[in-house]
Amino acid sequence: ITGKTLSNDASARARKLSSLRSFYQYYFTFAGLHQNPAKLISSPKIHNKKQSRLDSEETKEFLNNIKSSSLDDKKSPYAKRTELRDSAIIALLAGTGIRVSELVGIDLKDIDWEHNCIKIIRKGGNEDIIYFGEEIKKYLKNYIEN
């Protein structure tokens, strides 16, 4: 590879070190190696990337753009039928930060309208309570009632 500079960032070094540890662990366990030198090397610190989120104005603009106006005559009726659903989904995802898999698992009985919260099943099977604001409540009620 000419002209390219290859870097070895922390996650790449961690993957390579994990491979070496597994390699030496195998030989330590099955091939009579008397020590595992890979255990002496510390793992690099991996920095998590900051998540980017939409601010409230961007979310409002996004929700306002869920319209069927630019579609052809065949797609427009279907898009109009799903407009309320799509708006409720986007509002809930953007407003609460839940995963799509968590959203799919929500039943009507999981929504507490009095306290503006939803019981969801998190990744790993843990139950959690997620609270939402009046704006999201408006989108959800509008979809459910219509």
Side-chain angles (χ1 to χ4, degrees):
I1 304 173
T2 53
K4 287 189 178 181
T5 304
L6 299 176
S7 65
N8 212 7
D9 65 349
S11 60
R13 290 192 310 271
R15 282 193 311 272
K16 291 171 185 173
L17 184 57
S18 176
S19 297
L20 284 173
R21 282 190 180 132
S22 296
F23 175 78
Y24 277 107
Q25 184 61 40
Y26 174 82
Y27 278 100
F28 180 73
T29 305
F30 297 110
L33 198 63
H34 299 292
Q35 61 182 359
N36 185 348
K39 282 192 173 185
L40 302 174
I41 304 170
S42 60
S43 295
K45 182 165 178 81
I46 298 175
H47 302 283
N48 293 331
K49 294 179 182 174
K50 186 181 177 221
Q51 293 180 345
S52 60
R53 299 185 185 272
L54 298 175
D55 63 24
S56 61
E57 288 302 316
E58 290 172 324
T59 304
K60 283 181 186 176
E61 183 180 339
F62 188 60
L63 287 167
N64 288 336
N65 287 328
I66 301 177
K67 302 286 182 222
S68 57
S69 60
S70 63
L71 299 174
D72 62 19
D73 291 339
K74 285 185 177 181
K75 295 177 184 172
S76 186
Y78 178 75
K80 286 180 183 172
R81 285 196 310 263
T82 63
E83 189 175 312
L84 292 175
R85 181 203 63 187
D86 296 346
S87 297
I89 288 172
I90 298 300
L92 197 56
L93 290 173
T96 62
I98 63 174
R99 293 178 171 91
V100 172
S101 60
E102 296 164 348
L103 177 114
V104 170
I106 296 174
D107 292 327
L108 284 176
K109 64 179 173 32
D110 296 332
I111 302 173
D112 182 355
W113 297 106
E114 186 178 326
H115 298 103
N116 288 359
C117 62
I118 302 173
K119 181 177 70 172
I120 62 168
I121 306 298
R122 289 277 188 197
K123 198 171 167 182
N126 301 326
E127 277 190 10
D128 202 0
I129 302 293
I130 301 296
Y131 293 91
F132 55 86
E134 290 298 322
E135 188 73 19
I136 295 172
K137 183 177 185 176
K138 180 184 78 170
Y139 280 105
L140 291 175
K141 282 233 182 233
N142 194 15
Y143 168 59
I144 291 170
E145 290 170 359
N146 294 310

